Amino acid sequence: DTEVTQTPKHLVMGMTNKKSLKCEQHMGHRAMYWYKQKAKKPPELMFVYSYEKLSINESVPSRFSPECPNSSLLNLHLHALQPEDSALYLCASSQGSGIMDGPSYNEQFFGPGTRLTVL
Amino acid sequence: AQSVTQLDSHVSVSEGTPVLLRCNYSSSYSPSLFWYVQHPNKGLQLLLKYTSAATLVKGINGFEAEFKKSETSFHLTKPSAHMSDAAEYFCVVIGRYGNKLVFGAGTILRVKS
């Protein structure tokens, strides 16, 4: 299985709602990532999990809360979002988790994304 | 710090003609470079990667790229464009710690029939 899956495909939520995005991979990868992508822009890194521990938080607001329950799953919990948080949220995974693994192991595999709309 | 510059925000070609998407990089040490493609409302798919082996890299769907250290370039080419190639393409370098991708701004490829 060489796929990263994300659910749901689309999500519409109000500013007072709490929702979660889910990402799953069964490639045995050791690192997982959340990205945010606005229209006509490249993806922006939000969080990196390495061996199920949070290793990078790119100064993301606390209304976004990541969780890695196990090595195959990555969640992004959403609460009190703003309309400007509307975007495509992408999950990715890689076999390697950093420079010690070498570049060949740090190729990232992306999921299809969740299109989030905040009303 | 690493960075990539994609020299064209939009490229338009006719079906059956060659494709050239240009990318220059900046890196203080030997870089690893990637090209990803993103079709509308889809995730990113890896086209090809350079990791200091052969300088001419062949990827999926007939794409290839040549790493030129003297020119700090990693341009993406395809001999003959197909309508299904219409998408956005990102040139990417891996950051110093190996797990942060540094993206170019993207090039939107349009293929005319």
mmCIF file of all heavy atoms in Angstrom, chain A residues 33 35 37 41-43 45 48 56 58 88 90 97-99 103-104 106-108 110-112 115, chain B residues 32 34 36 38 41-44 46 49 51 88 90 94 96-101 103-105 108:
data_model
loop_
_atom_site.group_PDB
_atom_site.id
_atom_site.type_symbol
_atom_site.label_atom_id
_atom_site.label_comp_id
_atom_site.label_asym_id
_atom_site.label_seq_id
_atom_site.Cartn_x
_atom_site.Cartn_y
_atom_site.Cartn_z
ATOM 1 N N TYR A 33 3.255 14.639 8.297
ATOM 2 C CA TYR A 33 3.263 16.095 8.155
ATOM 3 C C TYR A 33 1.851 16.623 7.897
ATOM 4 O O TYR A 33 1.060 15.978 7.211
ATOM 5 C CB TYR A 33 4.125 16.505 6.949
ATOM 6 C CG TYR A 33 5.500 15.887 6.895
ATOM 7 C CD1 TYR A 33 5.679 14.563 6.485
ATOM 8 C CD2 TYR A 33 6.633 16.627 7.238
ATOM 9 C CE1 TYR A 33 6.936 13.993 6.429
ATOM 10 C CE2 TYR A 33 7.889 16.061 7.177
ATOM 11 C CZ TYR A 33 8.035 14.748 6.775
ATOM 12 O OH TYR A 33 9.288 14.182 6.720
ATOM 13 N N TYR A 35 0.202 20.104 6.141
ATOM 14 C CA TYR A 35 0.427 21.315 5.376
ATOM 15 C C TYR A 35 -0.915 22.025 5.183
ATOM 16 O O TYR A 35 -1.958 21.399 5.084
ATOM 17 C CB TYR A 35 0.973 21.000 3.976
ATOM 18 C CG TYR A 35 2.385 20.496 3.914
ATOM 19 C CD1 TYR A 35 2.678 19.138 4.081
ATOM 20 C CD2 TYR A 35 3.443 21.370 3.658
ATOM 21 C CE1 TYR A 35 3.972 18.673 3.996
ATOM 22 C CE2 TYR A 35 4.745 20.906 3.570
ATOM 23 C CZ TYR A 35 4.998 19.560 3.739
ATOM 24 O OH TYR A 35 6.291 19.103 3.652
ATOM 25 N N GLN A 37 -2.616 24.714 2.372
ATOM 26 C CA GLN A 37 -2.384 25.301 1.051
ATOM 27 C C GLN A 37 -3.537 26.229 0.679
ATOM 28 O O GLN A 37 -4.671 25.782 0.528
ATOM 29 C CB GLN A 37 -2.220 24.212 -0.017
ATOM 30 C CG GLN A 37 -1.818 24.775 -1.375
ATOM 31 C CD GLN A 37 -1.615 23.701 -2.421
ATOM 32 O OE1 GLN A 37 -2.182 22.617 -2.336
ATOM 33 N NE2 GLN A 37 -0.797 24.003 -3.421
ATOM 34 N N LYS A 41 -1.096 29.045 -4.214
ATOM 35 C CA LYS A 41 0.122 29.146 -3.409
ATOM 36 C C LYS A 41 0.695 27.754 -3.185
ATOM 37 O O LYS A 41 -0.036 26.765 -3.253
ATOM 38 C CB LYS A 41 -0.192 29.770 -2.041
ATOM 39 C CG LYS A 41 -0.687 31.199 -2.109
ATOM 40 C CD LYS A 41 0.426 32.143 -2.485
ATOM 41 C CE LYS A 41 -0.023 33.588 -2.386
ATOM 42 N NZ LYS A 41 1.033 34.509 -2.841
ATOM 43 N N PRO A 42 1.992 27.655 -2.893
ATOM 44 C CA PRO A 42 2.535 26.338 -2.527
ATOM 45 C C PRO A 42 2.092 25.946 -1.126
ATOM 46 O O PRO A 42 1.664 26.799 -0.350
ATOM 47 C CB PRO A 42 4.055 26.568 -2.581
ATOM 48 C CG PRO A 42 4.220 28.031 -2.366
ATOM 49 C CD PRO A 42 3.019 28.698 -2.953
ATOM 50 N N PRO A 43 2.175 24.671 -0.804
ATOM 51 C CA PRO A 43 1.835 24.241 0.561
ATOM 52 C C PRO A 43 2.759 24.886 1.599
ATOM 53 O O PRO A 43 3.938 25.090 1.346
ATOM 54 C CB PRO A 43 2.048 22.725 0.516
ATOM 55 C CG PRO A 43 1.966 22.367 -0.929
ATOM 56 C CD PRO A 43 2.520 23.536 -1.666
ATOM 57 N N LEU A 45 4.145 24.325 5.477
ATOM 58 C CA LEU A 45 4.257 23.330 6.545
ATOM 59 C C LEU A 45 3.641 23.858 7.834
ATOM 60 O O LEU A 45 3.862 25.017 8.204
ATOM 61 C CB LEU A 45 5.734 22.995 6.772
ATOM 62 C CG LEU A 45 6.031 21.925 7.801
ATOM 63 C CD1 LEU A 45 5.492 20.571 7.355
ATOM 64 C CD2 LEU A 45 7.537 21.849 8.065
ATOM 65 N N VAL A 48 5.214 18.672 12.003
ATOM 66 C CA VAL A 48 5.908 17.432 11.658
ATOM 67 C C VAL A 48 5.912 16.534 12.875
ATOM 68 O O VAL A 48 6.255 16.972 13.982
ATOM 69 C CB VAL A 48 7.363 17.680 11.205
ATOM 70 C CG1 VAL A 48 8.027 16.344 10.847
ATOM 71 C CG2 VAL A 48 7.425 18.642 10.037
ATOM 72 N N ILE A 56 8.235 19.403 14.893
ATOM 73 C CA ILE A 56 8.215 20.764 14.345
ATOM 74 C C ILE A 56 6.790 21.314 14.445
ATOM 75 O O ILE A 56 5.831 20.656 14.043
ATOM 76 C CB ILE A 56 8.685 20.803 12.879
ATOM 77 C CG1 ILE A 56 10.154 20.400 12.772
ATOM 78 C CG2 ILE A 56 8.465 22.199 12.279
ATOM 79 C CD1 ILE A 56 10.678 20.320 11.343
ATOM 80 N N GLU A 58 5.313 24.945 13.232
ATOM 81 C CA GLU A 58 5.711 26.163 12.549
ATOM 82 C C GLU A 58 4.895 27.353 13.046
ATOM 83 O O GLU A 58 4.254 28.079 12.267
ATOM 84 C CB GLU A 58 5.549 26.004 11.035
ATOM 85 C CG GLU A 58 6.511 25.009 10.406
ATOM 86 C CD GLU A 58 7.931 25.566 10.318
ATOM 87 O OE1 GLU A 58 8.221 26.347 9.396
ATOM 88 O OE2 GLU A 58 8.754 25.190 11.186
ATOM 89 N N LEU A 88 -6.959 24.174 1.554
ATOM 90 C CA LEU A 88 -6.766 22.735 1.345
ATOM 91 C C LEU A 88 -5.728 22.273 2.371
ATOM 92 O O LEU A 88 -4.636 22.840 2.437
ATOM 93 C CB LEU A 88 -6.274 22.460 -0.075
ATOM 94 C CG LEU A 88 -6.060 20.995 -0.473
ATOM 95 C CD1 LEU A 88 -7.375 20.245 -0.535
ATOM 96 C CD2 LEU A 88 -5.331 20.920 -1.822
ATOM 97 N N LEU A 90 -3.315 19.374 3.557
ATOM 98 C CA LEU A 90 -2.643 18.198 3.009
ATOM 99 C C LEU A 90 -1.861 17.483 4.098
ATOM 100 O O LEU A 90 -1.204 18.112 4.930
ATOM 101 C CB LEU A 90 -1.669 18.616 1.900
ATOM 102 C CG LEU A 90 -2.286 19.212 0.642
ATOM 103 C CD1 LEU A 90 -1.230 19.925 -0.183
ATOM 104 C CD2 LEU A 90 -2.962 18.140 -0.183
ATOM 105 N N SER A 97 13.075 10.603 8.720
ATOM 106 C CA SER A 97 12.565 11.640 9.622
ATOM 107 C C SER A 97 13.569 12.760 9.837
ATOM 108 O O SER A 97 13.401 13.567 10.725
ATOM 109 C CB SER A 97 12.198 11.021 10.966
ATOM 110 O OG SER A 97 13.351 10.465 11.570
ATOM 111 N N GLY A 98 14.585 12.817 9.025
ATOM 112 C CA GLY A 98 15.532 13.900 9.211
ATOM 113 C C GLY A 98 16.820 13.656 8.463
ATOM 114 O O GLY A 98 16.944 12.715 7.691
ATOM 115 N N ILE A 99 17.792 14.505 8.712
ATOM 116 C CA ILE A 99 19.017 14.504 7.916
ATOM 117 C C ILE A 99 19.812 13.215 8.073
ATOM 118 O O ILE A 99 20.504 12.787 7.155
ATOM 119 C CB ILE A 99 19.881 15.730 8.286
ATOM 120 C CG1 ILE A 99 20.943 15.965 7.212
ATOM 121 C CG2 ILE A 99 20.491 15.587 9.674
ATOM 122 C CD1 ILE A 99 21.644 17.280 7.346
ATOM 123 N N PRO A 103 18.669 11.907 2.010
ATOM 124 C CA PRO A 103 17.592 12.505 1.206
ATOM 125 C C PRO A 103 16.678 11.486 0.559
ATOM 126 O O PRO A 103 15.492 11.747 0.376
ATOM 127 C CB PRO A 103 18.343 13.331 0.171
ATOM 128 C CG PRO A 103 19.722 12.773 0.146
ATOM 129 C CD PRO A 103 19.997 12.258 1.510
ATOM 130 N N SER A 104 17.193 10.327 0.187
ATOM 131 C CA SER A 104 16.327 9.353 -0.484
ATOM 132 C C SER A 104 15.189 8.911 0.415
ATOM 133 O O SER A 104 14.138 8.501 -0.060
ATOM 134 C CB SER A 104 17.133 8.122 -0.894
ATOM 135 O OG SER A 104 18.065 8.440 -1.879
ATOM 136 N N ASN A 106 13.709 10.838 2.595
ATOM 137 C CA ASN A 106 12.866 11.953 3.013
ATOM 138 C C ASN A 106 11.900 12.413 1.948
ATOM 139 O O ASN A 106 11.278 13.463 2.096
ATOM 140 C CB ASN A 106 13.752 13.096 3.507
ATOM 141 C CG ASN A 106 14.398 12.747 4.833
ATOM 142 O OD1 ASN A 106 13.752 12.247 5.735
ATOM 143 N ND2 ASN A 106 15.698 12.987 4.945
ATOM 144 N N GLU A 107 11.797 11.643 0.867
ATOM 145 C CA GLU A 107 10.760 11.917 -0.126
ATOM 146 C C GLU A 107 9.403 11.837 0.552
ATOM 147 O O GLU A 107 9.117 10.885 1.278
ATOM 148 C CB GLU A 107 10.836 10.885 -1.242
ATOM 149 C CG GLU A 107 9.651 10.859 -2.184
ATOM 150 C CD GLU A 107 9.703 9.659 -3.101
ATOM 151 O OE1 GLU A 107 10.784 9.057 -3.273
ATOM 152 O OE2 GLU A 107 8.645 9.292 -3.636
ATOM 153 N N GLN A 108 8.571 12.841 0.336
ATOM 154 C CA GLN A 108 7.272 12.881 1.004
ATOM 155 C C GLN A 108 6.165 12.448 0.047
ATOM 156 O O GLN A 108 6.121 12.866 -1.106
ATOM 157 C CB GLN A 108 7.000 14.277 1.548
ATOM 158 C CG GLN A 108 7.928 14.632 2.693
ATOM 159 C CD GLN A 108 7.615 15.956 3.339
ATOM 160 O OE1 GLN A 108 6.496 16.474 3.234
ATOM 161 N NE2 GLN A 108 8.591 16.527 4.026
ATOM 162 N N PHE A 110 2.162 12.502 -0.528
ATOM 163 C CA PHE A 110 1.039 13.343 -0.124
ATOM 164 C C PHE A 110 -0.303 12.640 -0.300
ATOM 165 O O PHE A 110 -0.497 11.864 -1.239
ATOM 166 C CB PHE A 110 1.020 14.631 -0.958
ATOM 167 C CG PHE A 110 2.057 15.626 -0.552
ATOM 168 C CD1 PHE A 110 3.372 15.516 -0.990
ATOM 169 C CD2 PHE A 110 1.731 16.676 0.282
ATOM 170 C CE1 PHE A 110 4.338 16.434 -0.607
ATOM 171 C CE2 PHE A 110 2.683 17.610 0.672
ATOM 172 C CZ PHE A 110 3.989 17.485 0.225
ATOM 173 N N GLY A 111 -1.217 12.967 0.601
ATOM 174 C CA GLY A 111 -2.606 12.563 0.446
ATOM 175 C C GLY A 111 -3.352 13.522 -0.468
ATOM 176 O O GLY A 111 -2.787 14.540 -0.896
ATOM 177 N N PRO A 112 -4.621 13.220 -0.778
ATOM 178 C CA PRO A 112 -5.393 14.062 -1.695
ATOM 179 C C PRO A 112 -5.889 15.361 -1.068
ATOM 180 O O PRO A 112 -6.324 16.259 -1.789
ATOM 181 C CB PRO A 112 -6.583 13.170 -2.069
ATOM 182 C CG PRO A 112 -6.731 12.254 -0.906
ATOM 183 C CD PRO A 112 -5.354 12.016 -0.370
ATOM 184 N N ARG A 115 -10.552 19.686 1.719
ATOM 185 C CA ARG A 115 -10.909 21.076 1.410
ATOM 186 C C ARG A 115 -11.778 21.597 2.547
ATOM 187 O O ARG A 115 -12.900 21.144 2.741
ATOM 188 C CB ARG A 115 -11.682 21.136 0.085
ATOM 189 C CG ARG A 115 -12.244 22.506 -0.258
ATOM 190 C CD ARG A 115 -11.180 23.503 -0.637
ATOM 191 N NE ARG A 115 -10.417 23.100 -1.813
ATOM 192 C CZ ARG A 115 -9.323 23.734 -2.218
ATOM 193 N NH1 ARG A 115 -8.868 24.774 -1.550
ATOM 194 N NH2 ARG A 115 -8.687 23.316 -3.294
ATOM 195 N N SER B 32 19.109 18.055 -2.418
ATOM 196 C CA SER B 32 18.183 17.064 -2.982
ATOM 197 C C SER B 32 17.010 17.861 -3.543
ATOM 198 O O SER B 32 16.452 18.703 -2.851
ATOM 199 C CB SER B 32 17.698 16.094 -1.912
ATOM 200 O OG SER B 32 18.761 15.296 -1.474
ATOM 201 N N PHE B 34 13.359 18.000 -6.035
ATOM 202 C CA PHE B 34 12.183 17.257 -6.470
ATOM 203 C C PHE B 34 11.324 18.132 -7.375
ATOM 204 O O PHE B 34 11.337 19.350 -7.264
ATOM 205 C CB PHE B 34 11.306 16.849 -5.269
ATOM 206 C CG PHE B 34 12.018 16.061 -4.207
ATOM 207 C CD1 PHE B 34 12.799 16.693 -3.254
ATOM 208 C CD2 PHE B 34 11.895 14.685 -4.147
ATOM 209 C CE1 PHE B 34 13.454 15.973 -2.263
ATOM 210 C CE2 PHE B 34 12.536 13.955 -3.165
ATOM 211 C CZ PHE B 34 13.316 14.600 -2.221
ATOM 212 N N TYR B 36 7.197 18.139 -8.092
ATOM 213 C CA TYR B 36 5.873 17.600 -7.790
ATOM 214 C C TYR B 36 4.868 18.227 -8.748
ATOM 215 O O TYR B 36 5.020 19.377 -9.161
ATOM 216 C CB TYR B 36 5.446 17.948 -6.365
ATOM 217 C CG TYR B 36 6.059 17.096 -5.263
ATOM 218 C CD1 TYR B 36 7.268 17.442 -4.680
ATOM 219 C CD2 TYR B 36 5.401 15.965 -4.788
ATOM 220 C CE1 TYR B 36 7.808 16.674 -3.651
ATOM 221 C CE2 TYR B 36 5.930 15.190 -3.757
ATOM 222 C CZ TYR B 36 7.141 15.558 -3.201
ATOM 223 O OH TYR B 36 7.671 14.802 -2.179
ATOM 224 N N GLN B 38 0.606 18.962 -9.244
ATOM 225 C CA GLN B 38 -0.674 19.020 -8.541
ATOM 226 C C GLN B 38 -1.782 19.363 -9.536
ATOM 227 O O GLN B 38 -1.797 20.459 -10.093
ATOM 228 C CB GLN B 38 -0.643 20.058 -7.418
ATOM 229 C CG GLN B 38 -1.899 20.064 -6.566
ATOM 230 C CD GLN B 38 -1.816 21.028 -5.394
ATOM 231 O OE1 GLN B 38 -1.163 22.063 -5.468
ATOM 232 N NE2 GLN B 38 -2.482 20.691 -4.290
ATOM 233 N N ASN B 41 -7.454 20.707 -7.273
ATOM 234 C CA ASN B 41 -8.127 20.121 -6.098
ATOM 235 C C ASN B 41 -7.632 18.722 -5.755
ATOM 236 O O ASN B 41 -8.383 17.897 -5.230
ATOM 237 C CB ASN B 41 -9.644 20.115 -6.301
ATOM 238 C CG ASN B 41 -10.200 21.514 -6.378
ATOM 239 O OD1 ASN B 41 -9.915 22.343 -5.521
ATOM 240 N ND2 ASN B 41 -10.952 21.801 -7.425
ATOM 241 N N LYS B 42 -6.381 18.465 -6.059
ATOM 242 C CA LYS B 42 -5.775 17.169 -5.734
ATOM 243 C C LYS B 42 -4.539 17.378 -4.875
ATOM 244 O O LYS B 42 -4.053 18.505 -4.714
ATOM 245 C CB LYS B 42 -5.355 16.431 -7.020
ATOM 246 C CG LYS B 42 -6.486 16.170 -7.988
ATOM 247 C CD LYS B 42 -7.401 15.076 -7.504
ATOM 248 C CE LYS B 42 -8.422 14.715 -8.569
ATOM 249 N NZ LYS B 42 -9.439 13.781 -8.057
ATOM 250 N N GLY B 43 -4.029 16.273 -4.328
ATOM 251 C CA GLY B 43 -2.767 16.333 -3.604
ATOM 252 C C GLY B 43 -1.594 16.417 -4.565
ATOM 253 O O GLY B 43 -1.764 16.494 -5.783
ATOM 254 N N LEU B 44 -0.400 16.408 -4.002
ATOM 255 C CA LEU B 44 0.815 16.503 -4.810
ATOM 256 C C LEU B 44 1.343 15.109 -5.139
ATOM 257 O O LEU B 44 1.371 14.228 -4.280
ATOM 258 C CB LEU B 44 1.900 17.277 -4.055
ATOM 259 C CG LEU B 44 1.814 18.792 -4.099
ATOM 260 C CD1 LEU B 44 0.657 19.301 -3.268
ATOM 261 C CD2 LEU B 44 3.116 19.413 -3.632
ATOM 262 N N LEU B 46 4.695 13.052 -6.758
ATOM 263 C CA LEU B 46 6.102 13.191 -7.107
ATOM 264 C C LEU B 46 6.327 12.787 -8.554
ATOM 265 O O LEU B 46 5.955 11.695 -8.974
ATOM 266 C CB LEU B 46 6.963 12.319 -6.197
ATOM 267 C CG LEU B 46 8.463 12.419 -6.439
ATOM 268 C CD1 LEU B 46 8.982 13.786 -5.977
ATOM 269 C CD2 LEU B 46 9.214 11.314 -5.704
ATOM 270 N N LYS B 49 12.997 12.889 -8.751
ATOM 271 C CA LYS B 49 13.837 13.424 -7.689
ATOM 272 C C LYS B 49 15.306 13.285 -8.061
ATOM 273 O O LYS B 49 15.713 12.345 -8.749
ATOM 274 C CB LYS B 49 13.565 12.701 -6.368
ATOM 275 C CG LYS B 49 13.853 11.209 -6.392
ATOM 276 C CD LYS B 49 13.505 10.562 -5.060
ATOM 277 C CE LYS B 49 13.742 9.045 -5.116
ATOM 278 N NZ LYS B 49 13.355 8.377 -3.843
ATOM 279 N N THR B 51 18.974 13.049 -6.130
ATOM 280 C CA THR B 51 19.589 12.886 -4.813
ATOM 281 C C THR B 51 21.077 12.580 -4.956
ATOM 282 O O THR B 51 21.612 11.720 -4.265
ATOM 283 C CB THR B 51 18.897 11.763 -4.023
ATOM 284 O OG1 THR B 51 18.939 10.559 -4.805
ATOM 285 C CG2 THR B 51 17.464 12.111 -3.698
ATOM 286 N N GLU B 88 -0.421 22.261 -12.012
ATOM 287 C CA GLU B 88 0.579 23.133 -11.417
ATOM 288 C C GLU B 88 1.774 22.279 -11.000
ATOM 289 O O GLU B 88 1.614 21.175 -10.479
ATOM 290 C CB GLU B 88 0.024 23.886 -10.208
ATOM 291 C CG GLU B 88 0.989 24.921 -9.644
ATOM 292 C CD GLU B 88 0.323 25.992 -8.820
ATOM 293 O OE1 GLU B 88 -0.798 25.766 -8.331
ATOM 294 O OE2 GLU B 88 0.941 27.066 -8.655
ATOM 295 N N PHE B 90 5.528 22.106 -8.966
ATOM 296 C CA PHE B 90 6.338 22.717 -7.920
ATOM 297 C C PHE B 90 7.739 22.112 -7.934
ATOM 298 O O PHE B 90 7.903 20.887 -7.914
ATOM 299 C CB PHE B 90 5.722 22.479 -6.537
ATOM 300 C CG PHE B 90 4.423 23.202 -6.311
ATOM 301 C CD1 PHE B 90 3.213 22.547 -6.440
ATOM 302 C CD2 PHE B 90 4.410 24.552 -5.973
ATOM 303 C CE1 PHE B 90 2.012 23.210 -6.231
ATOM 304 C CE2 PHE B 90 3.216 25.221 -5.760
ATOM 305 C CZ PHE B 90 2.023 24.556 -5.896
ATOM 306 N N ILE B 94 15.036 20.035 -0.471
ATOM 307 C CA ILE B 94 14.910 19.599 0.929
ATOM 308 C C ILE B 94 15.758 20.509 1.792
ATOM 309 O O ILE B 94 16.903 20.822 1.463
ATOM 310 C CB ILE B 94 15.344 18.138 1.085
ATOM 311 C CG1 ILE B 94 14.174 17.218 0.759
ATOM 312 C CG2 ILE B 94 15.835 17.849 2.485
ATOM 313 C CD1 ILE B 94 14.404 15.782 1.110
ATOM 314 N N ARG B 96 17.774 21.817 5.286
ATOM 315 C CA ARG B 96 18.996 21.314 5.897
ATOM 316 C C ARG B 96 18.761 20.074 6.757
ATOM 317 O O ARG B 96 19.567 19.158 6.773
ATOM 318 C CB ARG B 96 19.624 22.422 6.761
ATOM 319 C CG ARG B 96 20.858 21.970 7.510
ATOM 320 C CD ARG B 96 21.488 23.115 8.274
ATOM 321 N NE ARG B 96 22.646 22.667 9.038
ATOM 322 C CZ ARG B 96 23.868 22.546 8.530
ATOM 323 N NH1 ARG B 96 24.090 22.846 7.278
ATOM 324 N NH2 ARG B 96 24.862 22.118 9.273
ATOM 325 N N TYR B 97 17.635 20.055 7.470
ATOM 326 C CA TYR B 97 17.412 18.948 8.394
ATOM 327 C C TYR B 97 16.634 17.817 7.758
ATOM 328 O O TYR B 97 16.162 16.935 8.438
ATOM 329 C CB TYR B 97 16.774 19.459 9.675
ATOM 330 C CG TYR B 97 17.724 20.385 10.393
ATOM 331 C CD1 TYR B 97 17.568 21.765 10.321
ATOM 332 C CD2 TYR B 97 18.809 19.870 11.085
ATOM 333 C CE1 TYR B 97 18.475 22.602 10.947
ATOM 334 C CE2 TYR B 97 19.717 20.708 11.714
ATOM 335 C CZ TYR B 97 19.540 22.072 11.637
ATOM 336 O OH TYR B 97 20.425 22.907 12.254
ATOM 337 N N GLY B 98 16.488 17.863 6.451
ATOM 338 C CA GLY B 98 16.007 16.703 5.710
ATOM 339 C C GLY B 98 14.526 16.445 5.766
ATOM 340 O O GLY B 98 14.023 15.631 5.006
ATOM 341 N N ASN B 99 13.807 17.089 6.651
ATOM 342 C CA ASN B 99 12.379 16.792 6.694
ATOM 343 C C ASN B 99 11.526 18.028 6.500
ATOM 344 O O ASN B 99 10.346 18.017 6.800
ATOM 345 C CB ASN B 99 12.012 16.079 7.991
ATOM 346 C CG ASN B 99 12.382 16.889 9.210
ATOM 347 O OD1 ASN B 99 12.909 17.986 9.095
ATOM 348 N ND2 ASN B 99 12.105 16.362 10.380
ATOM 349 N N LYS B 100 12.126 19.090 5.982
ATOM 350 C CA LYS B 100 11.339 20.255 5.609
ATOM 351 C C LYS B 100 11.534 20.519 4.130
ATOM 352 O O LYS B 100 12.654 20.675 3.662
ATOM 353 C CB LYS B 100 11.756 21.485 6.414
ATOM 354 C CG LYS B 100 11.390 21.396 7.880
ATOM 355 C CD LYS B 100 11.815 22.629 8.645
ATOM 356 C CE LYS B 100 10.976 23.835 8.324
ATOM 357 N NZ LYS B 100 11.224 24.964 9.242
ATOM 358 N N LEU B 101 10.424 20.509 3.396
ATOM 359 C CA LEU B 101 10.478 20.812 1.972
ATOM 360 C C LEU B 101 10.394 22.318 1.774
ATOM 361 O O LEU B 101 9.560 22.978 2.390
ATOM 362 C CB LEU B 101 9.316 20.144 1.239
ATOM 363 C CG LEU B 101 9.192 18.621 1.344
ATOM 364 C CD1 LEU B 101 8.058 18.125 0.456
ATOM 365 C CD2 LEU B 101 10.492 17.940 0.971
ATOM 366 N N PHE B 103 9.468 24.907 -0.995
ATOM 367 C CA PHE B 103 8.755 24.928 -2.263
ATOM 368 C C PHE B 103 9.064 26.186 -3.063
ATOM 369 O O PHE B 103 9.200 27.280 -2.506
ATOM 370 C CB PHE B 103 7.246 24.904 -2.027
ATOM 371 C CG PHE B 103 6.695 23.567 -1.611
ATOM 372 C CD1 PHE B 103 6.739 23.168 -0.285
ATOM 373 C CD2 PHE B 103 6.129 22.717 -2.542
ATOM 374 C CE1 PHE B 103 6.230 21.945 0.109
ATOM 375 C CE2 PHE B 103 5.613 21.489 -2.160
ATOM 376 C CZ PHE B 103 5.659 21.107 -0.837
ATOM 377 N N GLY B 104 9.119 26.021 -4.392
ATOM 378 C CA GLY B 104 9.038 27.174 -5.257
ATOM 379 C C GLY B 104 7.597 27.671 -5.301
ATOM 380 O O GLY B 104 6.690 27.033 -4.768
ATOM 381 N N ALA B 105 7.389 28.793 -5.964
ATOM 382 C CA ALA B 105 6.057 29.411 -6.011
ATOM 383 C C ALA B 105 5.095 28.661 -6.910
ATOM 384 O O ALA B 105 3.883 28.888 -6.848
ATOM 385 C CB ALA B 105 6.175 30.862 -6.454
ATOM 386 N N ILE B 108 2.117 27.142 -13.387
ATOM 387 C CA ILE B 108 0.892 26.563 -13.946
ATOM 388 C C ILE B 108 1.121 26.295 -15.419
ATOM 389 O O ILE B 108 1.471 27.211 -16.188
ATOM 390 C CB ILE B 108 -0.299 27.508 -13.740
ATOM 391 C CG1 ILE B 108 -0.598 27.627 -12.244
ATOM 392 C CG2 ILE B 108 -1.522 26.997 -14.490
ATOM 393 C CD1 ILE B 108 -1.664 28.643 -11.906
#
